[in-house]
Amino acid sequence: MSTDKITFLMNWHATPYHAPVYLAQKQGYFANEGISVALLEPNDPSDVTEIIGSGRVDMGFKAMIHTLAAKARGFPVTSIGSLLDEPFTGVVYLTSSGITTDFRTLRGKRIGYVGEFGKIQIDELTRHYGMTPADYTAVRCGMNVSKAIISGEIDAGIGLENVQMVELEEWLVSQHRPRSDVKMLRIDELAELGCCCFCSILYIGNDAFIKANPDKVAKFMKAVKRATEDVLTDPLGMFERYIDIKPQMASAVNRKIFERSFAYFSRDLKNVPRDWNKVTAYGKRLGVLPEGYEPNYTNEFLQGWDLAKDSADPIGDQKRMAALQELVKEQGGFRRIDDGEKVGVVGVAA
Amino acid sequence: MSTDKITFLMNWHATPYHAPVYLAQKQGYFANEGISVALLEPNDPSDVTEIIGSGRVDMGFKAMIHTLAAKARGFPVTSIGSLLDEPFTGVVYLTSSGITTDFRTLRGKRIGYVGEFGKIQIDELTRHYGMTPADYTAVRCGMNVSKAIISGEIDAGIGLENVQMVELEEWLVSQHRPRSDVKMLRIDELAELGCCCFCSILYIGNDAFIKANPDKVAKFMKAVKRATEDVLTDPLGMFERYIDIKPQMASAVNRKIFERSFAYFSRDLKNVPRDWNKVTAYGKRLGVLPEGYEPNYTNEFLQGWDLAKDSADPIGDQKRMAALQELVKEQGGFRRIDDGEKVGVVGVAA
């Protein structure tokens, strides 16, 4: 017997920034739309595009660079919306490692990466800094980059500002060391990309599934849009609900990760064409996309709400975001750069 | 493009007793057999048989009663081996709830269950004790039965001796209360089944997948058999490896769950015909299997090692197991009833 359940595979174990999909399930928003969804989690994030691209699973989350590369490699997927816009991503290190803001201090170091693309990105960067891939040791870490830095297995590793940096900051606090001992060499800055959009986390779908089920896809996106609005309006209340679903979210570090992810949530779930063009060009430069490759995204399933105009000042936005995240690191709370002229604060955890 | 990866879906979030499959992956045993496996975890355990039975995922773990019912409902799956033999399962409660060894003390109580079958089992039991399903309040809890007991949302809930009871025991210790304040009304005893095999955790596969890929299935089972042997020979060392894969296993409660699961691991992975016959009869009694239903298991993929003879004294084994688990609860360590004339101790955690 076939099933009408939509299968949806996370890009990672359940994580604070996944809140909208788990809440869409828990709040009954999928059911309200008349769809049934099974949420699945991977043991290895590197399996995700292959499993979705081959049609074994219908939909899921994945970063932009992986989404582009998947289709180029014969695993046809398309992004149908954005979960997180441009989370800062880079080489995360402790100051005690001897690494500095100078990329060349990575020489001789052991650098952890998740699956494959982090290594491709670092390898490509070595050329711009008079080095070769043989100048550092790459260590595949899967989902355990922070753990490997803490254990000393690696000197630095690729991670997100709102996840791995937070894990390391909270570990530092437990060691009576300042949070400022963890730093990031941002890949977008090193590679002069002008955005951290290669790591934007997207809603993706298998191409054949999308073509055969446009209504289901639109209903899915409507349900997660509703849950996203809930999160943006009442982050503390919604995080408590998320803890009901996933008790491990109650940890101090997961609460911090949720705060630090808050500013990155896409409000309208829009795929940003400018970002896609930049990352497509970057993918060609990395050698993972052929010349002439057309980016694989669509906004056609975002129906029933307005999509924001493209920002007139994306570089300025990025600077504001960096300052905002420093503020959240210091003071906590739920803040976004799109909340008005000045930084808006929705609520600050006691 | 299709994928040759075998997809394998857990019955639960990653849990100490899943060690053999994660270790088979980490130790390279799947790769040694020439197969590639993607391990997946569900958000809702109730999705598992539908997703495997409909062929969306190839293989997975599920309890015997669910495996039987899945095929009867049109989601064709077959058990190809056993992970855990007869873990004690029942209504778990704190003595402070007012519940006693008398089933009738459940009257008026709120009883949590995972998905569906726990409720069917309790409903059926009410008839044997002069009650009706209306005499208690059923509360669906998914994977959060222990949490709901702790929060007071429910008075008792269905769980395993080696998982939910341990979670509650360790919570009691944190409250300066004795571990003995958590008790279980064993369903096998209440229902006079003569075994706790309805909850034996099995390796299952989609029927069409098994038919089309007998070699892959046999290789998969060979790899997990090898990892099972590692676990039984060196439980402490293998658990440390499991922690490398899943850092959350390092918690005190997960270490205890692993100790308490150790005795239940099937050494030869055999489906035990006597158990299947008993549970098939029980499924008919529960009304979830039609008359004439034939149990859906096979041992044909367990190739290259000897399968143990059926125990001559299964009731005696169960008594020995109950005594053994009490000992492990008090003293810790890794003990099994098949280690010789007297209780064998592989190693005791410091």
Side-chain angles (χ1 to χ4, degrees), chain A residues 1 3 41 50 56 58 74, chain B residues 1 3 41 50 56 58 74:
Chain A
M1 192 151 76
T3 173
E41 296 153 27
E50 181 171 339
R56 304 304 310 272
D58 303 320
Chain B
M1 193 151 75
T3 175
E41 296 153 26
E50 181 171 341
R56 304 305 310 274
D58 303 319

Side-chain angles (χ1 to χ4, degrees), chain B residues 35-248:
Chain B
I35 58 175
S36 173
V37 179
L39 302 176
L40 306 176
E41 296 153 26
N43 180 50
D44 185 344
S46 299
D47 289 334
V48 172
T49 51
E50 181 171 341
I51 290 176
I52 300 174
S54 61
R56 304 305 310 274
V57 162
D58 303 319
M59 299 175 64
F61 282 135
K62 202 65 194 178
M64 195 182 287
I65 187 74
H66 305 114
T67 301
L68 282 158
K71 188 156 185 170
R73 290 173 171 190
F75 292 111
V77 294
T78 294
S79 170
I80 50 176
S82 295
L83 171 72
L84 297 186
D85 276 333
E86 302 189 47
F88 294 134
T89 307
V91 180
V92 177
Y93 61 94
L94 301 176
T95 49
S96 52
S97 66
I99 298 168
T100 72
T101 53
D102 181 348
F103 181 87
R104 290 164 295 185
T105 58
L106 296 180
R107 196 185 293 270
K109 302 295 186 189
R110 299 156 301 168
I111 315 291
Y113 63 103
V114 177
E116 175 186 8
F117 284 88
K119 180 174 182 331
I120 292 172
Q121 290 175 293
I122 300 294
D123 285 355
E124 197 265 349
L125 282 170
T126 58
R127 275 183 260 145
H128 299 278
Y129 291 90
M131 294 163 55
T132 76
D135 283 330
Y136 79 101
T137 304
V139 180
R140 185 172 173 147
C141 293
M143 290 191 277
N144 295 323
V145 165
S146 304
K147 182 170 178 266
I149 291 176
I150 290 169
S151 72
E153 190 193 332
I154 56 177
D155 301 299
I158 292 172
L160 297 176
E161 184 268 334
N162 56 316
V163 179
Q164 284 77 17
M165 277 190 89
V166 179
E167 291 171 348
L168 289 165
E169 284 164 13
E170 297 314 301
W171 173 77
L172 284 167
V173 168
S174 77
Q175 304 293 304
H176 311 291
R177 289 166 63 182
R179 289 195 173 91
S180 57
D181 277 4
V182 56
K183 303 282 189 198
M184 175 184 281
L185 278 164
R186 271 171 50 189
I187 288 177
D188 62 312
E189 293 180 341
L190 295 167
E192 298 177 353
L193 301 178
C195 78
C196 236
C197 32
F198 67 87
C199 209
S200 288
I201 310 292
L202 311 168
Y203 292 90
I204 68 171
N206 171 272
D207 281 2
F209 174 80
I210 293 171
K211 193 172 176 192
N213 300 279
D215 287 356
K216 278 189 180 179
V217 174
K219 287 173 176 177
F220 184 99
M221 297 310 290
K222 194 170 164 192
V224 295
K225 164 66 173 158
R226 197 172 157 196
T228 302
E229 280 174 11
D230 288 349
V231 167
L232 294 179
T233 307
D234 179 18
L236 278 174
M238 287 301 117
F239 199 64
E240 291 308 312
R241 288 227 82 181
Y242 191 21
I243 291 169
D244 284 344
I245 310 167
K246 297 283 185 189
Q248 68 268 33

Side-chain angles (χ1 to χ4, degrees), chain A residues 267-288:
Chain A
R267 188 182 286 278
D268 60 3
L269 314 188
K270 185 180 71 165
N271 282 292
V272 182
R274 177 161 47 199
D275 293 351
W276 279 92
N277 292 336
K278 281 183 184 166
V279 182
T280 301
Y282 180 46
K284 290 173 184 171
R285 178 177 137 192
L286 290 175
V288 299

